[in-house]
Amino acid sequence: MIIRNEKKQRGCYLHGINNNSIMKHSQFCQSCSMPLTQELMGTEKDGSPSHEYCKYCYQQGEFTNPGLTMEQMINHMTGMMERKKLPEDILERAIARMPHLKRWRHEQSSQEGH
């Protein structure tokens, strides 16, 4: 996800996504929990589509915001979803998925060890 001026640089998180399309997806970005469609897939270093991350989180084989913490991602997602006026249950499910996503599993297990 892009924290800085996402509309100008990369488009808006959840652009074109409505409540029905969110409910129908079973594949989610492994960084932000956004429903992952062909159009929203990020890219690997070789330019091929990433089947794990969206274009807002991952481009050319790298995270767009590599230093982001899971807590920062949740705060950003919450703001974007609230601006899009998505139902609270969708936001709650997206947040509940976060610790289980590939990008955050290591961060979660590191925190549990302390």
Side-chain angles (χ1 to χ4, degrees), residues 11-25:
C12 182
Y13 175 76
L14 293 176
H15 175 73
I17 301 291
N18 62 39
N19 298 345
N20 291 334
S21 64
I22 289 173
M23 300 306 288
K24 292 178 185 175
H25 285 86

Side-chain angles (χ1 to χ4, degrees), residues 4-110:
R4 60 196 181 284
N5 200 359
E6 51 277 327
K7 287 183 182 177
K8 193 173 195 178
Q9 291 185 4
R10 308 250 195 248
C12 182
Y13 175 76
L14 293 176
H15 175 73
I17 301 291
N18 62 39
N19 298 345
N20 291 334
S21 64
I22 289 173
M23 300 306 288
K24 292 178 185 175
H25 285 86
S26 58
Q27 188 175 1
F28 299 93
C29 174
Q30 293 297 300
S31 176
C32 70
S33 188
M34 181 167 142
L36 199 56
T37 63
Q38 189 70 34
E39 310 81 56
L40 295 175
M41 287 180 177
T43 55
E44 299 296 346
K45 285 184 181 185
D46 64 2
S48 65
S50 169
H51 296 280
E52 294 184 311
Y53 299 104
C54 76
K55 64 184 180 181
Y56 304 111
C57 293
Y58 195 74
Q59 294 184 5
Q60 298 173 334
E62 297 181 10
F63 289 112
T64 55
N65 285 301
L68 204 63
T69 66
M70 185 173 72
E71 183 177 339
Q72 290 169 324
M73 178 65 80
I74 289 171
N75 290 336
H76 181 66
M77 281 176 33
T78 300
M80 296 304 286
M81 291 176 123
E82 286 174 351
R83 282 191 286 283
K84 292 292 247 174
K85 299 186 183 339
L86 293 175
E88 193 171 318
D89 64 316
I90 291 175
L91 175 59
E92 288 170 1
R93 278 184 265 163
I95 290 171
R97 270 193 300 272
M98 294 296 287
H100 307 286
L101 299 176
K102 185 176 180 177
R103 183 174 183 181
W104 310 116
R105 282 185 211 140
H106 176 71
E107 182 178 316
Q108 223 19 54
S109 59
S110 296

